[in-house]
Amino acid sequence: MLARALVSDPDVLLLDEPTNHMDIDAITALEEMLLSFQGATIFITHDRTLTRRLATRIVELDRGRLVSFPGNYDEYLSRKQQMLEVEARENAVFDKFLAEEEVWIRKGIEARRTRNEGRVRRLEALRVERRQRVAVQGTVNFDIGSSGRSGQIVADLDRVSFGYGERMLVRDLTMTIRRGDRIGIIGPNGCGKSTLLRLLLGDLAPQSGQVRLGTQLKTAYFDQQRAQLDPQLSVRENVSAGSDHVTIGDRKKHIIGYLGDFLFPPERANSPVASLSGGERNRLLMAKLFTQPANLLVFDEPTNDLDAETLELLEELLAEFTGTLLLVSHDRAFIDNVVTSVLAFEGDGAWGEYVGGYQDWLRQKRSSGAPKAAAAAPQRVAATKPTAAKKRLSYKEQRELDAMPQTIDTLESEQKALQQRIADPGFYRQDKTAIAEGLAALERINEKLATAYARWEQLDAGS
């Protein structure tokens, strides 16, 4: 559809949720293409990263009114917050004045005696204005029932492989998932992310290797196909199986009130699921899942069709979740805000583990090539000058070479300590400054190690 829209070289490009079901590589390519597009672009999206990169003006449809915000997404968020605060203050002043006028009119005799018909008409107008005021749209109220702690080991994979025919989706994967891990799984469409999830959950047997699952696991699985919803049943029947109440943790709640937490008004409770939009089905599946106590959340593309406000609330919920999280998503901002490590597809069935979120993965991918390039440099120099005499190390250089193993050992110990601290679930619950400082410290250590390895090889070649 994108190719079809662009081939005509349009002056105006209209895009309605263009990133839904696209993988990160395709989304990045789309961004680059739109950045170079010379015409006007009008797009609807809930992808905050895309909006931050592309938008120079944001037009919001809020309670039937269009409001234009010049500038980028962060400027929009700031100005929108200011507008809501001003609106709240004005409404509070209005409501206080209306309450005072209602007290006056209820005195009855005094109101009639003074014959202040203008004040009575003003009160009538105030009542009409109050009735016509449109409240800010409600927000989803998420809550996950706790199921106690799982065992320390959630899943242990030993040289696991799986594929279809000659195409390997997972090759020789060895890893351990521990209680409290928050792992984001990223890769292009069709690379095997959902298959990997099924292997991790024990729903699919590996063709070679072994998967050992931990103890006391209670799993809530968000399937991107939403197969757990019966389209022929009503909204309430899918969640409560005919009961008037649901139990969340140790609290009992009426089904209508519970569905209201997920923005389903009472009149929608008996609507068939087949009539719901994609975003409504996503919210309904979450409502169904969150009635089940869980200590392992598995989300396969949960962000499709969800609006930005709901995404932010879901992020807050997952930040407070004390269990284990496995997340497949192409939403880069969501990954950055939720996970503490990334499992990335690297081709031919290989998967690599990285500390941090999406942006951290990008940085580590870029820096991982530095040591190899630095190490290769002395070899290239030697190859271009085969007849050059080998230069003897000076006393100072020999001392430096002798000290190199200890230097590298110290740096690797610091690197390991930082990686463990960053991998801890509590690390990303700190304020943004502390998180940024921790990640920057790890990047500095990585750079120092790359430099030390290159220098060690250079000195060793001359000894």
Side-chain angles (χ1 to χ4, degrees):
M1 290 180 68
L2 283 168
R4 184 176 179 181
L6 291 166
V7 73
S8 61
D9 191 22
D11 297 315
V12 180
L13 191 58
L14 305 176
L15 303 174
D16 190 356
E17 297 286 4
T19 63
N20 269 6
H21 308 291
M22 291 177 69
D23 58 43
I24 292 178
D25 289 342
I27 294 171
T28 304
L30 173 65
E31 286 176 353
E32 297 301 328
M33 180 203 69
L34 293 177
L35 284 169
S36 62
F37 179 62
Q38 297 299 309
T41 306
I42 301 174
F43 60 98
I44 297 171
T45 186
H46 299 136
D47 188 319
R48 293 159 292 177
T49 305
L50 182 83
T51 306
R52 280 190 170 94
R53 287 201 70 191
L54 296 182
T56 57
R57 174 184 170 196
I58 291 174
V59 179
E60 180 188 58
L61 178 60
D62 180 19
R63 291 167 281 172
R65 295 175 298 177
L66 282 173
V67 184
S68 177
F69 297 85
N72 60 30
Y73 183 68
D74 291 316
E75 292 170 335
Y76 152 75
L77 290 177
S78 177
R79 291 187 59 191
K80 176 65 177 179
Q81 183 60 35
Q82 293 172 4
M83 286 178 59
L84 290 175
E85 289 171 358
V86 170
E87 179 182 328
R89 288 196 297 269
E90 290 177 347
N91 286 342
V93 171
F94 177 92
D95 291 343
K96 181 180 179 182
F97 180 62
L98 175 59
E100 292 171 349
E101 293 300 288
E102 292 288 2
V103 169
W104 170 79
I105 196 66
R106 286 188 176 90
K107 291 180 180 178
I109 295 174
E110 180 185 342
R112 288 193 293 275
R113 184 184 297 140
T114 56
R115 298 183 181 277
N116 193 339
E117 296 179 2
R119 192 170 180 179
V120 173
R121 285 196 298 271
R122 181 178 65 187
L123 176 56
E124 291 173 351
L126 289 173
R127 286 176 175 176
V128 172
E129 184 177 345
R130 179 63 185 86
R131 284 196 299 272
Q132 291 179 344
R133 183 197 299 170
V134 182
V136 177
Q137 183 179 0
T139 54
V140 178
N141 181 20
F142 289 132
D143 190 16
I144 300 178
S146 174
S147 179
R149 287 154 61 107
S150 67
Q152 180 63 34
I153 301 298
V154 173
D156 186 64
L157 284 71
D158 182 23
R159 300 184 64 83
V160 168
S161 295
F162 187 89
Y164 295 100
E166 296 181 357
R167 184 174 175 232
M168 294 302 296
L169 299 179
V170 180
R171 185 188 300 275
D172 291 333
L173 178 59
T174 297
M175 68 178 298
T176 300
I177 300 174
R178 293 177 171 81
R179 183 179 64 222
D181 282 352
R182 314 165 74 78
I183 301 174
I185 301 173
I186 60 177
N189 286 338
C191 73
K193 298 186 296 295
S194 296
T195 299
L196 178 57
L197 277 184
R198 294 180 63 199
L199 288 168
L200 293 172
L201 295 174
D203 293 340
L204 192 64
Q207 292 169 340
S208 64
Q210 187 176 15
V211 178
R212 291 184 292 271
L213 296 179
T215 58
Q216 302 175 23
L217 290 178
K218 296 291 185 181
T219 304
Y221 184 17
F222 184 102
D223 173 21
Q224 64 170 314
Q225 305 301 328
R226 300 184 283 253
Q228 293 148 285
L229 297 178
D230 187 335
Q232 303 308 316
L233 296 180
S234 69
V235 169
R236 67 183 297 169
E237 287 170 337
N238 266 279
V239 174
S240 67
S243 173
D244 287 337
H245 294 83
V246 293
T247 302
I248 311 298
D250 56 357
R251 294 182 296 107
K252 203 172 184 180
K253 195 164 188 177
H254 195 276
I255 182 61
I256 298 300
Y258 180 67
L259 289 173
D261 290 341
F262 291 81
L263 303 186
F264 290 101
E267 60 271 18
R268 292 286 275 168
N270 294 314
S271 300
V273 169
S275 68
L276 301 182
S277 68
E280 287 175 324
R281 293 190 190 200
N282 271 13
R283 294 203 308 271
L284 181 62
L285 180 51
M286 288 183 190
K288 181 181 178 72
L289 290 179
F290 294 165
T291 61
Q292 309 166 13
N295 50 36
L296 172 60
L297 291 181
V298 182
F299 281 177
D300 191 358
E301 297 286 3
T303 62
N304 284 340
D305 304 309
L306 290 183
D307 58 73
E309 290 80 4
T310 303
L311 285 175
E312 290 172 0
L313 287 165
L314 182 57
E315 287 171 357
E316 292 177 11
L317 172 80
L318 294 178
E320 296 171 359
F321 180 60
T322 57
T324 307
L325 172 69
L326 301 178
L327 169 70
V328 174
S329 179
H330 298 308
D331 188 319
R332 294 155 293 176
F334 192 76
I335 294 172
D336 277 333
N337 294 337
V338 168
V339 308
T340 57
S341 62
V342 163
L343 189 60
F345 181 73
E346 298 184 331
D348 195 28
W351 294 83
E353 291 184 78
Y354 297 85
V355 172
Y358 174 75
Q359 295 299 330
D360 304 305
W361 168 67
L362 284 182
R363 278 197 296 271
Q364 291 172 74
K365 273 189 64 179
R366 287 193 292 264
S367 64
S368 64
K372 296 178 183 177
Q379 297 173 8
R380 287 197 298 271
V381 172
T384 55
K385 299 181 180 180
T387 59
K390 183 184 285 187
K391 180 183 176 183
R392 289 179 59 84
L393 294 180
S394 67
Y395 174 75
K396 184 177 180 181
E397 287 172 330
Q398 186 62 50
R399 291 282 302 274
E400 185 183 359
L401 175 61
D402 293 342
M404 268 296 171
Q406 180 61 43
T407 301
I408 289 174
D409 187 56
T410 302
L411 288 172
E412 286 182 337
S413 296
E414 293 179 24
Q415 181 192 50
K416 185 177 180 180
L418 276 170
Q419 287 173 339
Q420 289 175 343
R421 185 162 70 89
I422 291 171
D424 187 275
F427 176 80
Y428 285 87
R429 295 173 190 164
Q430 305 177 92
D431 60 73
K432 292 183 178 179
T433 303
I435 294 172
E437 289 175 354
L439 296 175
L442 179 60
E443 196 164 354
R444 287 194 297 270
I445 289 292
N446 291 339
E447 290 171 357
K448 288 180 179 178
L449 264 174
T451 304
Y453 275 120
R455 179 60 174 163
W456 189 17
E457 186 163 345
Q458 184 182 28
L459 291 170
D460 190 52
S463 62

